Amino acid sequence: MSNENLQEVVKQKYGNAAKQVVAGGVATCGGGAESSCCDPITKDLYDTSQTSVLPKEAVAASLGCGNPTALAKLQPGETVLDLGSGGGIDVLLSAKRVGPSGKAYGLDMTDEMLALACENQKRAGVENVEFLKGTIENIPLPENSVDVIISNCVINLSCDKDRVLREAFRVLRPGGRFAISDVVVRGEVPADIRKSVELWVGCVAGALEEFEYRDKLFSSGFENIDIEPTRIYKVDEARDFLSAAGIDVDKVAPFIDGKFMSAFVRATKPFSRASVVGPSCHA
Ligand SMILES: C[S@@+](CC[C@H](N)C(=O)[O-])C[C@H]1O[C@@H](n2cnc3c(N)ncnc32)[C@H](O)[C@@H]1O
């Protein structure tokens, strides 16, 4: 499938997920479960002190695999950008954390998700929020304009992760933080099995191995790279989905168990390019 076609499939899947919420339901996408209340990837990511102050439709649209705003140490006055903001849950939480002197941008390519996020912004009554239409491979913001980039289970969906990371680096201010949640693979997993588990995790996915994530961040110019597991998945959690896909789960279990995780991926943009390549040679 070409990159353009794959992006269309992703748009369609998340467009449908947004429609489920508009119809009064809960967004679903992966094969984990029918409702995000029981899905091992999306369930219990936020505590009630966070969800109780949000519109219920923003919570119902949550399709992330982590809680980046809880881990990103956002400060009043900062500008935050959420890559693939979906129904807006992390944008609304960021807006509260950065306060009226700060700003939270959400970027998404799916019209239905953007419409839902804008409705959720109105319901929440927050003004320091702006939702932008576009792709994370081509961020519609100027360079050096953002303090913190967050994202929740989106970068694994991109066909061009190098470009996403280069774009993130470009729009961050020197010293800016990249602080995202994503699905990461630890160790080698045969390609066909990997594909099935990725479909279980997130519709259409291409999770990076831990070392690839580090390499790509480093090549994009980032420093202080850290990948911290927040949830490690057990084969039994994907058993029903994999069996339905015709996979002999007991046979493949050793290749899967504990190898797929949700992780908090952190890095910073150096204050100067020099700090990436090491100390200068001037006497
Ligand atoms: C798994 S959902 C996560 C939504 C949100 N971050 C959350 O935690 O609920 C993925 C979202 O990313 C958007 N998305 C996926 N690929 C994208 C891309 N290349 N550019 C922009 N948005 C993208 C989808 O439209 C969808 O809203």
Side-chain angles (χ1 to χ4, degrees):
M1 203 188 292
S2 72
N3 287 1
E4 287 74 26
N5 287 348
L6 204 57
Q7 214 164 58
E8 280 312 308
V9 173
V10 172
K11 264 188 206 169
Q12 219 169 46
K13 296 243 182 202
Y14 288 105
N16 288 339
K19 285 180 194 157
Q20 290 173 329
V21 176
V22 173
V26 174
T28 60
C29 201
E34 284 309 302
S35 136
S36 67
C37 77
C38 319
D39 181 335
I41 296 142
T42 58
K43 77 171 177 189
D44 298 335
L45 294 175
Y46 301 90
D47 63 39
T48 44
S49 69
Q50 294 182 295
T51 53
S52 60
V53 295
L54 293 175
K56 68 176 186 344
E57 293 83 354
V59 179
S62 165
L63 283 168
C65 54
N67 187 349
T69 62
L71 299 165
K73 299 196 174 81
L74 302 179
Q75 302 298 328
E78 287 190 319
T79 299
V80 181
L81 167 65
D82 182 10
L83 300 180
S85 43
I89 185 165
D90 294 318
V91 178
L92 299 178
L93 289 170
S94 301
K96 286 183 196 298
R97 298 275 292 281
V98 300
S101 60
K103 174 140 189 177
Y105 288 103
L107 172 64
D108 207 288
M109 66 178 182
T110 306
D111 288 327
E112 294 87 344
M113 276 295 183
L114 284 165
L116 176 61
C118 290
E119 279 306 309
N120 286 334
Q121 178 189 355
K122 278 186 216 149
R123 291 183 186 109
V126 283
E127 292 193 348
N128 56 338
V129 161
E130 193 175 333
F131 288 102
L132 307 169
K133 180 170 176 175
T135 66
I136 62 176
E137 293 81 5
N138 197 4
I139 300 175
L141 285 174
E143 61 184 49
N144 302 334
S145 59
V146 169
D147 296 301
V148 186
I149 287 193
I150 61 164
S151 182
N152 203 345
C153 231
V154 180
I155 295 176
N156 71 83
L157 300 170
S158 173
C159 312
D160 193 346
K161 295 170 179 66
D162 290 310
R163 186 159 171 173
V164 173
L165 298 180
R166 280 199 305 273
E167 277 292 271
F169 188 89
R170 179 184 67 78
V171 300
L172 275 175
R173 294 198 174 106
R177 283 118 63 208
F178 179 84
I180 64 123
S181 294
D182 206 0
V183 176
V184 178
V185 183
R186 201 171 241 181
E188 264 188 47
V189 178
D192 51 336
I193 301 170
R194 182 170 166 154
K195 189 107 217 102
S196 302
V197 179
E198 286 172 352
L199 286 171
W200 171 69
V201 171
C203 299
V204 181
L208 290 175
E209 273 190 59
E210 195 175 352
F211 81 90
E212 287 178 297
Y213 229 127
R214 287 178 187 278
D215 276 2
K216 287 180 186 299
L217 282 163
F218 183 75
S219 306
S220 307
F222 284 101
E223 61 182 11
N224 301 319
I225 298 161
D226 183 48
I227 299 184
E228 178 190 339
T230 50
R231 248 175 217 187
I232 296 177
Y233 300 109
K234 293 269 158 210
V235 72
D236 273 340
E237 295 171 301
R239 184 172 286 277
D240 291 349
F241 178 81
L242 295 175
S243 300
I247 291 171
D248 180 342
V249 179
D250 292 320
K251 197 165 146 205
V252 302
F255 297 109
I256 299 176
D257 228 10
K259 292 200 172 167
F260 289 80
M261 61 185 185
S262 292
F264 186 50
V265 181
R266 259 182 281 235
T268 50
K269 177 168 173 171
F271 281 96
S272 74
R273 271 280 180 180
S275 60
V276 178
V277 292
S280 92
C281 306
H282 299 298

